Amino acid sequence: MAGFWGKRKRDNAELAAQDADLARRARSSLVAADERIRVTTDELSFAEIELGVEPTKELRDALEAVRTHMSEAFHLHQLNHDEIPDTAEELRTRNARIVQLCEWAEDLLDDRTEALAAPIQRARRAPEIIAGVRADAERLRSRLPQARETIQRLAARYSAQALAQVEANPAEAEQLIGFAEHSAGISERRREAGQREQANLALEACTEAARRAATLIDAVETFEVEALRAESTLSAIVEDSREDIVVALKEPHNPEVSAAIATLQDALASLPAAGVNTDPFTLLSRLREANSGLDEAIAKARERAARPIPPFEHVRHSIDDADRQLAVARDVIAGHRGWIGADARTRLAEAERIRIDLDRYLGMSASAATMIDDDHREQAMAMSRRVAFLAGEALQLAQRDIDSSRPQGGPDQWGGPQQGWGGGRRGGSDLMGGILGGLVIGSILDGFID
């Protein structure tokens, strides 16, 4: 007994220590959260000066929500210290709620202030950013003559279709450079007028315009390099394609391979003569596509050669065999319904389902199997074999159920000597008894189901 009371005192002491620690956390959390609200309020004021009212709306809404919930936390803390006595459980519940509210408040304010940190930093660096945009605009404008010369040089070598993706780049880049300089001036004037939100929008516009102008000018130089690379690759692929045709002509032929060879030959024949302005990108894509088509057709032909297609007669015989096995299984199960379990019935149902799918797949009767093409013959053979396999399994499972359910003979059992049906313990008398028993039990079950 002394040990019991000693343990109880220790448990009470531990719980009291935990409650005291929770109370200290509640008090310190209240102070920290209240101080965070004050600091964030100041940060909101600075953010509104730098960014304007609309970009800081989420932080403002968060502060309002935090103040609302923190009033609940302060009210709970007040209840802990009023003149009304409280139980330990009530104090514990209130303090836990206070800690929860304070942690939520600080997490929400952290999230909203972090989201504004980058825009505020950017706004404070506005003069530096604007100076950088103007320097970039001057540098980009000096590259425009070279970009135009590159376009003229490319026009003498490549077709208008090939140049369509970069031909207008210098003109578009020049417009974007002018827009970037104009937006930079607007940003400066709006900031001086105290219109920070509009100033920041203009700042974003000028930096984006300068970035896009640089991308357009760079694309002209990139195009020239990529076009030369495409021409080099095209020459190699033309040579490879001619070799591929020679190899393909030695492969086992079928309509798909012949069509793929013809497509690749047409692509090679359509190549422009030397000295004609071309589009190496389009020509390269066309040859690659034709090459891939030939590779795929040859791979299928090789696979087909390694896996002979079953003759029409074999397909028809396989379907006939499946139908025979399905009929046998169906008859045995129907004649012994009262003894047949779920496994045999399930195999039979699946076999019948696949048999129906086979007819739908062929879209014709089995007698017309000579009209089935190669791909359909393979699938038809696989489906018919699956039907036969499932029907065989259904028959085996049904026989197992029948054997386990039929009487095993004896003076008072079906098939025993007194019955006079065949006189044997495992002869025709057992089969007759099984059939009759299955019919009787099946009819009884049918009556219950109905």
Side-chain angles (χ1 to χ4, degrees):
M1 183 65 69
F4 171 78
W5 289 110
K7 181 177 183 302
R8 184 173 180 181
K9 288 181 179 179
R10 287 195 302 271
D11 291 343
N12 290 338
E14 290 178 1
L15 185 60
Q18 293 174 2
D19 288 344
D21 181 65
L22 181 61
R24 285 192 295 271
R25 285 181 59 198
R27 290 192 296 271
S28 61
S29 296
L30 270 176
V31 173
D34 188 54
E35 191 63 19
R36 181 59 194 276
I37 291 174
R38 185 188 65 78
V39 172
T40 305
T41 302
D42 293 340
E43 291 178 347
L44 175 61
S45 299
F46 294 136
E48 287 178 345
I49 293 174
E50 295 292 343
L51 304 177
V53 175
E54 186 60 29
T56 57
K57 181 180 183 302
E58 290 189 0
L59 178 58
R60 190 180 312 106
D61 293 342
L63 269 173
E64 291 179 4
V66 166
R67 289 191 182 102
T68 299
H69 288 288
M70 285 304 297
S71 65
E72 177 189 350
F74 280 111
H75 177 65
L76 292 173
H77 189 65
Q78 177 61 36
L79 291 177
N80 287 345
H81 297 83
D82 60 13
E83 66 278 3
I84 301 175
D86 299 309
T87 65
E89 181 63 28
E90 288 175 333
L91 290 171
R92 190 179 305 120
T93 301
R94 289 174 191 156
N95 286 329
R97 176 62 174 166
I98 290 171
V99 171
Q100 179 188 31
L101 288 170
C102 292
E103 289 179 348
W104 167 83
E106 294 212 52
D107 288 343
L108 180 61
L109 295 180
D110 283 344
D111 180 70
R112 296 298 185 268
T113 52
E114 286 176 6
L116 289 178
I120 290 174
Q121 183 64 22
R122 184 177 180 81
R124 289 173 178 173
R125 292 179 54 244
E128 176 186 346
I129 293 173
I130 289 174
V133 167
R134 284 179 170 145
D136 289 342
E138 184 178 353
R139 177 178 54 82
L140 291 172
R141 184 172 278 109
S142 67
R143 293 178 58 191
L144 288 175
Q146 180 182 352
R148 292 190 174 96
E149 290 177 4
T150 302
I151 293 294
Q152 292 177 356
R153 184 171 61 253
L154 294 173
R157 184 175 183 85
Y158 303 109
S159 65
Q161 179 182 357
L163 282 177
Q165 52 184 304
V166 295
E167 187 176 14
N169 282 21
E172 292 178 9
E174 186 173 19
Q175 292 180 347
L176 286 170
I177 292 169
F179 180 76
E181 292 173 329
H182 179 67
S183 299
I186 292 177
S187 180
E188 283 181 327
R189 290 192 293 273
R190 291 293 185 271
R191 185 167 295 276
E192 291 171 359
Q195 299 172 342
R196 296 303 179 94
E197 188 171 343
Q198 296 180 9
N200 292 326
L201 289 175
L203 183 65
E204 293 289 340
C206 72
T207 54
E208 176 62 15
R211 185 195 64 80
R212 288 178 56 196
T215 300
L216 290 172
I217 295 174
D218 291 341
V220 174
E221 298 177 359
T222 301
F223 177 88
E224 185 172 28
V225 175
E226 292 301 323
L228 291 173
R229 185 177 299 169
E231 284 187 284
S232 176
T233 305
L234 181 62
S235 300
I237 289 186
V238 167
E239 183 177 351
D240 291 343
S241 298
R242 289 171 178 157
E243 293 177 359
D244 290 343
I245 291 175
V246 173
V247 173
L249 292 173
K250 300 176 182 178
E251 293 286 336
H253 268 214
N254 61 27
E256 292 182 2
V257 173
S258 299
I261 292 174
T263 300
L264 183 54
Q265 287 174 333
D266 291 342
L268 290 171
S270 66
L271 292 175
V276 177
N277 289 4
T278 63
D279 181 355
F281 302 104
T282 301
L283 296 176
L284 188 57
S285 297
R286 187 184 306 164
L287 271 183
R288 278 175 175 164
E289 184 178 352
N291 258 292
S292 298
L294 179 58
D295 291 341
E296 184 177 352
I298 291 175
K300 288 183 178 179
R302 289 174 177 173
E303 181 183 0
R304 182 66 50 79
R307 190 187 68 250
I309 302 300
F312 301 116
E313 293 78 8
H314 290 188
V315 176
R316 185 168 58 251
H317 294 160
S318 179
I319 294 174
D320 291 342
D321 178 60
D323 288 341
R324 280 193 297 271
Q325 296 205 50
L326 192 58
V328 172
R330 188 185 297 120
D331 290 344
V332 171
I333 291 174
H336 302 78
R337 293 177 61 190
W339 294 349
I340 305 302
D343 292 343
R345 295 169 185 262
T346 300
R347 300 298 194 284
L348 178 62
E350 181 66 7
E352 290 176 332
R353 183 189 67 80
I354 297 176
R355 184 62 184 87
I356 293 172
D357 288 345
L358 176 57
D359 282 339
R360 290 174 179 167
Y361 177 74
L362 296 177
M364 60 186 71
S365 65
S367 61
T370 54
M371 301 298 294
I372 307 173
D373 60 30
D374 291 352
D375 292 334
H376 286 77
R377 270 188 284 160
E378 273 193 297
Q379 183 65 14
M381 177 70 83
M383 294 176 74
S384 62
R385 285 176 175 172
R386 182 63 176 164
V387 171
F389 174 78
L390 289 170
E393 274 198 335
L395 185 59
Q396 291 177 1
L397 292 170
Q399 188 62 51
R400 181 199 66 184
D401 294 339
I402 293 170
D403 291 342
S404 63
S405 300
R406 68 154 54 104
Q408 298 301 314
D412 299 322
Q413 302 280 342
W414 292 329
Q418 286 77 4
Q419 300 299 104
W421 292 341
R425 293 179 57 120
R426 301 296 294 173
S429 59
D430 279 351
L431 178 60
M432 183 62 70
I435 293 173
L436 293 176
L439 292 174
V440 171
I441 296 174
S443 65
I444 291 174
L445 291 176
D446 288 343
F448 275 114
I449 293 172
D450 293 337

